[in-house]
Amino acid sequence: GSGGTLVLMGRRPPASAFIPDAFVFPGGKVDPDDRRAPCPIPLAADTERALRSSASVSETAARALAHAAIRETYEETGLFVARPAKFHAPGSGSWRAFEDRGLAPDHAALGLIGRAITPSVSPVRFHARFFFADARAARGELRSNDELLDLAWYPLEEALRLPIIDVTRFMLEEARAFAAQPPHPGGARQPGRRLFVHYRGEKPVLTYESGSVSTR
């Protein structure tokens, strides 16, 4: 945006069993079809390398994670992170909407900000990867839904003041640092570091994949 970086977020419904009323990014878990879907537009080499080296992820798993991010973004926002290309949807689920429009999921549009593993005391456990994509890589119209309320593009500084959990705040801070970097002359930028958030008890530990460690 003309006033600075915007980020797409929405609020979880009040009746949610996990972090109700918190603002979050679009996302969700890997579905079986995400593992079967073809990949005509692969991940950038740097993004795939970061995904696979950070937690011994296989090539197939890295592709499924990227597919899940793109599919969940479509399901929760109506936006296709996709490009015109030949694509055969597995099954009859959400991937069919991509095929019907002649679009293929654009893995090349994705970069990786970081990953996080919830504390062992959390009622819901996950090992999440946090991707980013330039809004210009998305097609379609933003639409609200029952999964994310108040869905909108929020100025990044405003997003940091919304009701968010600590992991969301850490990733937004990484996004802010990344957005402040000068444009890359060779095309799409990639972050020079990826954040890994894990916990000792309930205390978050922030480790960069480069090896430096800090705690908050």
Side-chain angles (χ1 to χ4, degrees):
S2 59
T5 301
L6 308 177
V7 59
L8 184 59
M9 300 184 74
R11 179 170 57 86
R12 291 179 60 83
S16 297
F18 182 60
I19 55 172
D21 283 322
F23 278 79
V24 298
F25 310 116
K29 66 180 181 179
V30 174
D31 282 352
D33 280 349
D34 299 332
R35 301 184 186 278
R36 295 192 290 265
C39 183
I41 307 171
L43 288 162
D46 188 58
T47 303
E48 181 176 351
R49 184 163 52 248
L51 266 176
R52 296 187 62 186
S53 63
S54 62
S56 300
V57 172
S58 69
E59 179 181 358
T60 300
R63 185 169 62 240
L65 288 164
H67 272 324
I70 291 173
R71 176 187 50 75
E72 289 280 352
T73 296
Y74 163 66
E75 291 177 353
E76 295 185 352
T77 74
L79 299 179
F80 296 86
V81 181
R83 279 191 270 163
K86 189 175 182 180
F87 176 73
H88 295 295
S92 57
S94 297
W95 287 119
R96 184 66 62 189
F98 287 73
E99 181 179 349
D100 290 346
R101 289 166 176 78
L103 298 173
D106 187 1
H107 287 197
L110 301 180
L112 187 69
I113 286 283
R115 62 190 178 105
I117 298 177
T118 47
S120 58
V121 296
S122 175
V124 177
R125 301 298 313 282
F126 59 74
H127 183 176
R129 280 74 173 184
F130 293 83
F131 294 95
F132 67 91
D134 192 301
R136 290 170 291 190
R139 299 167 182 268
E141 297 294 327
L142 192 65
R143 56 168 171 74
S144 187
N145 59 79
D146 294 336
E147 292 191 71
L148 289 181
L149 310 177
D150 301 325
L151 182 67
W153 293 96
Y154 292 90
L156 204 153
E157 295 301 325
E158 179 183 333
L160 282 162
R161 296 191 294 269
L162 293 171
I164 54 177
I165 62 172
D166 56 358
V167 169
T168 306
R169 176 164 57 86
F170 298 148
M171 294 300 166
L172 281 171
E173 289 170 348
E174 287 302 300
R176 177 171 59 184
F178 175 55
Q181 295 176 8
H184 193 284
R189 295 178 299 165
Q190 292 288 338
R193 62 186 189 181
R194 277 86 177 185
L195 179 65
F196 174 36
V197 181
H198 54 110
Y199 291 80
R200 295 192 184 113
E202 296 186 31
K203 185 176 183 179
V205 179
L206 278 61
T207 306
Y208 290 105
E209 299 295 350
S210 60
S212 60
V213 177
S214 63
T215 60
R216 300 186 185 184

